[in-house]
Structure formats: structure tokens, C-alpha cells
Amino acid sequence: MIGRRWWWLPVLLALSACADEGGDDSASDLPGAVAVTGGFPAGTAPAPPPDAVAGAAAAPGDATVWVVTFGSSGNPAIVRGAVVNDHRVDFTIADDPGRPATMDYAPTTSTVVLDELPSDDAPLTLVLGDLGTVEIDRRAPGEFVWATR
């Protein structure tokens, strides 16, 4: 009887090993310099205004920025590309059109390494796709600026 009672345990273990942790986006078309995680960047506790649609901050490290978007955790809008022109960065931000969205509203962070940035510490203007434009201070890692509607 014991053998029949516990038949589901290996199935449960196999399913839990395959479960999505909600952390990394598995999209294969992401540029190599972009890492995506669910939620806000580790070690930060930003307080976005209620009408925030996106935000950004300098991340610790040279030429690294965090771009936070809000929306479906199952199909988040994330950084798909970036064009650097001096102290302005134009981001392409989109979800995956072939993937279903969930009905929740959650933050997602794209960590982007921008090797082409000028070496000075001047502020950066970040165009967050059609979500808005923000200006961040590269000398203040973790200080978020929010685009609102």
C-alpha cells in the first residue's frame, strides 16, 4: 500500500524542479548586455509614485543602468535594445508579442551594460521607449527617477 500512496512524489519533485522562479526572462532575442529579473533590483527599496509606468537608476559599476517597467509578470515589457548617442540612450522596450500576459501588475528590472557611454559622470538622458524620458545621475547609484502618466 505504501508504494501506491506515494506514487505522486516523483511527479511533484519533477514539476517543482521545472517551475519558473519568476526571476529571469528566457527570451532568446535579448541583447547580451541585458539581464532581466522580476521585481526591483536586489538590495534596493524604491518607492515609485502610484502613476509610475517606468523608471531608471544608475547601478553600481561602470556604465550599468537599471530600467524598471510595470505590467504583466508573465510577459513583462523589458529592454530589447539600446542606442547610445553621447549622454542620451534610446531604449527599445517591449513585451514578447507571442507570449500571453498575466493579469497582475508587477515591477520587472532590466539591468543594462552600456559600453559606449562617455567616461565622464555627466547625467544621462534615458528615453524609455514610449513610456517616457528620465534623466539619471550616474554618481548616485540606486537613486531612481520615474516616468509617470
Side-chain angles (χ1 to χ4, degrees), residues 48-55 68-71 77 93-94 105 127-134 145-149:
D51 56 347
V53 293
V68 174
T69 57
F70 297 93
I93 297 176
Y105 191 75
V127 179
L128 307 174
D130 62 357
L131 300 175
T133 300
V134 297
V145 179
W146 302 100
T148 58
R149 298 234 180 202

Side-chain angles (χ1 to χ4, degrees), residues 103-125:
M103 294 293 291
D104 59 347
Y105 191 75
T108 300
T109 300
S110 297
T111 302
V112 186
V113 179
L114 301 165
D115 295 326
E116 308 86 25
L117 288 179
S119 60
D120 63 15
D121 287 335
L124 289 177
T125 299

